[in-house]
Amino acid sequence: MRASSLARLGDNALTSFDGTRHGYVIGPEDQRLRMLERTVDLGEDGRFLVVTAGDAQEIDDELRSFDRALLFTFAMLAMVLLFTTMFQVRFGLAPL
């Protein structure tokens, strides 16, 4: 097994208000990784770059799962709203 190092974020990485940079890189096994990096200043002990990365496919799977749950929820809410509107028109406006 050969040793490899994790890629660094390029200049096009997004920077948060707290100085954390995040973006996507290609990992050592040619997989797409979501990466976050932040410089930590420990005073006299020096400055360190802390990097964490995870498989972007897992994030994409979770987003798709959330999107499906959200779509289902909104569809159910739309059906309930339609039913209650029909009920209100049918029985609420009957005396008129």
Side-chain angles (χ1 to χ4, degrees), residues 40-88:
V40 178
D41 188 1
L42 297 178
E44 293 179 9
D45 291 333
R47 291 173 51 132
F48 299 92
L49 180 65
V50 179
V51 178
T52 185
D55 192 357
Q57 185 61 43
E58 293 177 18
I59 297 169
D60 293 341
D61 292 344
E62 289 296 324
L63 283 173
R64 272 193 291 284
S65 174
F66 177 76
D67 287 345
R68 282 193 298 273
L70 196 61
L71 179 65
F72 175 75
T73 302
F74 281 141
M76 292 301 295
L77 286 172
M79 288 175 43
V80 168
L81 181 62
L82 183 64
F83 177 74
T84 56
T85 301
M86 288 174 28
F87 183 79
Q88 181 181 9

Side-chain angles (χ1 to χ4, degrees), residues 17-35:
F17 67 93
D18 63 353
T20 302
R21 298 178 61 218
H22 51 92
Y24 292 92
V25 297
I26 301 299
E29 297 176 3
D30 292 331
Q31 77 273 36
R32 188 168 165 245
L33 298 177
R34 168 80 168 164
M35 179 181 282

